[in-house]
């Protein structure tokens, strides 16, 4: 049973380009969460999705950032027109039910570097 | 207030010693308090978690102590080992499965 799979592990983008980060939840998990970790800081919540629905996007920047979790395929975090301040590690977590926190498993993250 | 404050930022402990990391929260609506362990290049992994209806929870060498009136909770690692060297994060949420508010992290180094 593979864990939460994130790809790519490392992503380098020039300022102004788009970044697309993918997250495949654990088998049977229908809840996905995205967090961002700046260097030397804790993780900050971005968005919570279920299949085809955004449940809570209170942590998402209002512009340039979007997320989706389609019926088929991985969840995608999309950052348009990246800036240097977007450089961070982006972690995805999944769970099988909103009440089962022990199913809240993190992936290994995507480290985005904007040059 | 959603903030969770964690201390110390870094900690050096001798092998066999006790590592203690503290967290304080402000939002009294928080009712779930997990601790995560993160190794370099990896995602956070859940270590142990507690709810406010108990004051202490122990799993192996890891113990959470919880003080509801002071709005503080701490992680104790007994008989610390070099393999415990990692960054530890406390977190809090309103109900399991909701967004987690993380502390700033503690980088633990256990010297052989």
């Amino acid at each position: 049973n593979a864990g939460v799979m994130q790809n790519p592990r490392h992503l380098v983008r020039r300022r102004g380009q788009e970044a697309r980060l993918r997250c495949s939840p654990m088998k049977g998990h229908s809840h996905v969460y995205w967090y961002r970790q700046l260097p030397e800081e804790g993780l900050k919540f971005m968005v919570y999705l279920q299949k085809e629905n955004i449940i809570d996007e209170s942590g998402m920047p209002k512009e340039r950032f979007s997320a989706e979790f389609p019926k088929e395929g991985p969840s995608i975090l999309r950052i348009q027109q990246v800036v240097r301040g977007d450089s961070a590690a982006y972690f995805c977590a999944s769970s099988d039910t909103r009440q089962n926190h022990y199913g809240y498993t993190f992936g290994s993250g995507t480290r985005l570097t904007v040059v | 207030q959603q903030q969770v404050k964690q201390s110390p930022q870094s900690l050096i402990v001798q092998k066999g010693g006790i590592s203690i990391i503290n967290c304080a929260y402000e939002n009294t609506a928080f009712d779930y308090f997990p601790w995560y362990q993160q190794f370099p290049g990896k995602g956070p992994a859940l270590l142990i978690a507690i709810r406010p209806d108990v004051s202490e929870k122990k799993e192996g060498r890891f113990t959470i102590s919880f003080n509801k009136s002071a709005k503080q909770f701490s992680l104790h690692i007994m008989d610390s080992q070099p393999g415990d060297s990692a960054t530890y994060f406390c977190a809090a949420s309103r109900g399991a499965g909701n967004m987690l508010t993380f502390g700033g992290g503690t980088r633990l180094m256990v010297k052989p």
Side-chain angles (χ1 to χ4, degrees), chain A residues 8-60:
Chain A
R9 290 295 306 275
H10 300 276
L11 182 61
V12 179
R13 284 287 178 267
R14 295 187 183 279
R15 280 178 293 171
Q17 290 185 319
E18 178 181 285
R20 291 171 69 89
L21 287 61
R22 296 175 185 77
C23 169
S24 296
M26 287 184 68
K27 187 176 180 180
H29 287 192
S30 59
H31 303 254
V32 166
Y33 312 78
W34 284 93
Y35 287 79
R36 176 166 63 176
Q37 185 176 32
L38 295 171
E40 307 300 322
E41 292 189 14
L43 285 79
K44 297 286 194 294
F45 170 79
M46 298 183 75
V47 63
Y48 163 43
L49 310 103
Q50 290 183 28
K51 287 282 187 180
E52 299 184 280
N53 286 304
I54 296 175
I55 306 303
D56 181 352
E57 57 181 347
S58 58
M60 286 279 270

Side-chain angles (χ1 to χ4, degrees), chain A residues 11-20 64 78-83 86 112-115:
Chain A
L11 182 61
V12 179
R13 284 287 178 267
R14 295 187 183 279
R15 280 178 293 171
Q17 290 185 319
E18 178 181 285
R20 291 171 69 89
R64 302 187 298 108
R78 183 182 178 204
I79 311 172
Q80 294 178 292
Q81 299 176 324
V82 296
V83 301
D86 297 332
L112 171 66
T113 301
V114 179
V115 297

Side-chain angles (χ1 to χ4, degrees), chain B residues 24-35:
Chain B
Y25 63 97
E26 298 170 0
N27 189 343
T28 55
F30 286 148
D31 61 0
Y32 179 77
F33 303 90
W35 284 89

